[in-house]
């Protein structure tokens, strides 16, 4: 029997890779697209003729319920979110509405439609919920959120646990550490640097301005992480899992690695707001620090311990940081060419 998966946030990075993965497995894939976001579906262009796209906002409980009643999915992947941490400080109410209440609306629709026993639910939780808890962070680490984004996601995380315990819903939180790809939104640091490097290589830009160069992230590739999402829903029992590579890099090191692909070796001079990344050969400044990219509160160091996912799900990341970086820079260069 063909299984049906419903994906919220299908126009995002993970929505793209998860759709491709599920289509390959023979699923019927239905995706929710925001009412005013039709242009965004171009992103899905290679897949759109195989997808069933429905217009629905996570802030609209009535439409969510009607779509669910019509689609009757076997699996729901709730990826839809205002996912930019820095931006969440500017739009905290909207972030709470989409990320926390949006999840609750979906869970309530499942309950109202008496689908609890028939559907499996994946929640896109996040390593941001650990905040300044010291690494490595695992499922048992303290949650210490430091942004409206993380607070909203933690609320959704607990709501999912609550529906699992109270009503027996097969609902799992994937506590995912950063994962990137050429499909990454341009507001995130990996894509910003990849596109900046490509533009510098093409002579269209001379410098990339960044915020906190010291922050460390556990960066993997989105293609690996969507496999973990699916694996969680194939278990007899729902549970929460960390997905991570177990290695972290600073933003500074990310820059060094990306510039290598255009033959530039960076050296660093100065400190704090005066720090500069300089082309060791030419002396040209390629990176500077602009305080407008600092956040009111920062998460300094995320490094995940994904042993539970490895032992229970058999999941482990296959794509290295270096290969992910190479793919992003090459794709950014080919978009300019
Ligand atoms: P993304 O590229 O920012 O995609 C977010 C998706 O949510 C987009 O399709 C967006 O639609 C949709 N969306 C936003 N507001 C919505 C609303 N009101 N109603 C319905 N849909 C809405 O994020 P991603 O990187 O794919 O991440 C997927 C999920 O995993 C997100 O929930 C994110 O918070 C979480 N997460 C991501 C990472 C990571 O490193 N990528 C790590 C941990 C957790 P538009 O395209 O129209 O804006
Ligand atoms: O790329 P980022 O914006 O990702 P961030 O904040 O880690 O969030 C991403 O990963 C989370 C999982 O841990 C997801 F839940 C979330 O949805 C999102 O996908 O920033 C990474 C780091 C931060 O410390 C930031 O302060 O890079 C630092 N940074 C330095 N300069 C910058 C910049 N970030 C951005 N976006 N832009 C800069 O110019």
């Amino acid at each position: 029997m063909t299984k049906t998966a419903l994906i919220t946030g299908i126009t995002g990075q993970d929505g793209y890779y998860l759709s491709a993965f599920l289509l390959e497995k023979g699923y019927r894939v239905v995706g929710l697209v925001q009412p005013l976001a039709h242009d965004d579906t171009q992103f899905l262009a290679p897949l759109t003729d195989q997808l069933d796209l429905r217009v629905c906002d996570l802030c609209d409980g009535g439409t969510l319920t009607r779509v669910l009643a019509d689609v009757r999915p076997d699996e729901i992947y709730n990826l839809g979110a205002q996912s930019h941490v820095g931006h969440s400080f500017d739009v905290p109410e909207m972030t709470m509405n989409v990320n926390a209440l949006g999840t609750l609306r979906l869970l309530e629709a499942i309950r109202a439609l008496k689908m609890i026993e028939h559907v499996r639910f994946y929640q896109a939780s996040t390593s941001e919920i650990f905040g300044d808890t010291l690494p490595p962070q695992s499922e048992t680490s303290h949650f210490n959120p430091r942004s409206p984004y993380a607070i909203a996601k933690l609320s959704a995380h607990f709501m999912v646990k609550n529906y699992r315990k109270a009503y027996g819903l097969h609902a799992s939180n994937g506590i995912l550490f950063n994962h990137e790809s050429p499909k990454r939104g341009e507001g995130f640091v990996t894509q910003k640097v990849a596109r900046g490097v490509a533009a510098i290589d093409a002579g269209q830009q001379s410098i990339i301005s960044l915020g906190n160069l010291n922050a460390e992230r556990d960066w993997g590739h989105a293609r690996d992480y969507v496999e973990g999402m699916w694996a969680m829903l194939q278990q007899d029992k729902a549970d929460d899992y960390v997905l991570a590579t177990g290695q972290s890099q600073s933003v500074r090191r990310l820059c060094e690695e990306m510039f290598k692909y255009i033959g530039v070796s960076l050296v660093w001079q100065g400190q704090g707001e005066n720090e500069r990344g300089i082309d060791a050969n030419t002396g040209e400044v390629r990176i500077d620090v602009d305080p407008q990219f600092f956040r009111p509160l920062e998460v300094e160091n995320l490094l995940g311990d994904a042993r539970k996912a490895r032992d229970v799900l058999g999941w482990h990341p296959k794509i290295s940081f270096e290969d992910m970086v190479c793919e992003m820079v090459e794709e950014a260069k080919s978009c300019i060419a």
Side-chain angles (χ1 to χ4, degrees):
M1 282 259 299
T2 304
K3 276 191 184 174
T4 298
L6 180 89
I7 303 177
T8 76
I10 197 163
T11 55
Q13 169 189 262
D14 292 4
Y16 174 84
Y17 285 101
L18 181 63
S19 299
F21 177 77
L22 293 175
L23 287 169
E24 185 71 31
K25 287 209 166 291
Y27 277 70
R28 168 189 173 225
V29 178
V30 182
L32 302 193
V33 180
Q34 287 193 76
L36 299 174
H38 290 298
D39 278 356
D40 281 9
T41 59
Q42 287 170 8
F43 191 70
L44 287 166
L47 306 176
T48 33
D49 57 352
Q50 300 170 71
L51 299 171
D52 177 353
L53 298 178
R54 309 287 178 103
V55 174
C56 182
D57 196 298
L58 281 166
C59 298
D60 178 356
T63 310
L64 269 178
T65 307
R66 280 198 304 280
V67 170
L68 241 64
D70 187 45
V71 174
R72 308 295 300 184
D74 300 289
E75 297 174 5
I76 298 175
Y77 295 86
N78 184 30
L79 311 184
Q82 190 302 98
S83 77
H84 198 283
V85 177
H87 190 45
S88 77
F89 288 96
D90 301 324
V91 291
E93 190 176 328
M94 186 268 257
T95 302
M96 202 71 188
N97 195 1
V98 180
N99 298 8
L101 290 177
T103 306
L104 176 59
R105 289 182 190 103
L106 264 178
L107 294 169
E108 271 300 276
I110 291 169
R111 194 158 75 106
L113 294 167
K114 304 199 183 324
M115 289 168 61
I116 292 267
E117 284 165 24
H118 309 293
V119 75
R120 294 185 173 195
F121 188 89
Y122 172 84
Q123 170 60 17
S125 193
T126 165
S127 51
E128 277 288 310
I129 62 179
F130 296 119
D132 59 2
T133 295
L134 289 178
Q137 296 99 357
S138 73
E139 296 82 2
T140 54
S141 298
H142 280 299
F143 300 138
N144 214 353
R146 282 167 72 81
S147 65
Y149 169 81
I151 292 165
K153 281 286 186 176
L154 186 55
S155 169
H157 181 101
F158 277 122
M159 202 61 83
V160 165
K161 283 172 103 71
N162 193 256
Y163 275 63
R164 183 164 78 215
K165 286 185 183 156
Y167 308 117
L169 178 64
H170 191 295
S172 297
N173 286 299
I175 310 172
L176 271 50
F177 284 63
N178 298 50
H179 46 280
E180 319 292 313
S181 74
K183 303 283 183 197
R184 189 52 145 153
E186 63 187 1
F188 301 91
V189 75
T190 50
Q191 189 68 292
K192 182 174 169 180
V193 178
R195 292 197 177 161
V197 164
I200 288 170
D201 190 47
Q204 296 176 357
Q205 185 176 326
S206 64
I207 195 163
I208 307 170
S209 297
L210 297 172
N212 182 6
L213 299 174
N214 296 319
E216 295 190 18
R217 290 292 181 274
D218 180 331
W219 276 301
H221 195 299
R223 196 181 290 114
D224 282 337
Y225 286 57
V226 299
E227 292 188 17
M229 296 176 187
W230 175 79
M232 288 178 214
L233 298 203
Q234 310 318 307
Q235 303 305 304
D236 289 340
K237 204 167 155 287
D239 205 343
D240 304 330
Y241 298 91
V242 159
L243 299 186
T245 71
Q247 291 181 355
S248 71
Q249 327 280 344
S250 65
V251 173
R252 198 178 287 104
R253 159 113 167 81
L254 171 79
C255 295
E256 290 166 6
E257 193 65 26
M258 287 198 161
F259 270 95
K260 263 187 7 201
Y261 288 97
I262 59 164
V264 172
S265 171
L266 289 178
V267 290
W268 300 93
Q269 288 181 5
Q271 290 204 325
E273 291 179 23
N274 297 316
E275 186 163 356
R276 304 277 180 269
I278 293 167
D279 183 327
N281 284 329
T282 65
E284 288 166 292
V285 178
R286 292 308 189 194
I287 304 277
D288 70 0
V289 175
D290 184 337
Q292 72 161 304
F293 299 114
F294 290 156
R295 294 171 181 178
L297 211 53
E298 177 64 284
V299 170
E300 291 292 347
N301 196 345
L302 292 175
L303 168 66
D305 172 354
R307 273 178 293 182
K308 180 175 168 184
R310 187 194 61 200
D311 295 347
V312 181
L313 307 176
W315 180 87
H316 62 93
K318 299 187 265 297
I319 305 170
S320 68
F321 171 73
E322 290 76 13
D323 287 348
M324 181 271 287
V325 160
C326 175
E327 193 185 333
M328 289 188 77
V329 176
E330 291 305 331
E331 176 76 14
K333 281 166 70 177
S334 74
C335 288
I336 284 184

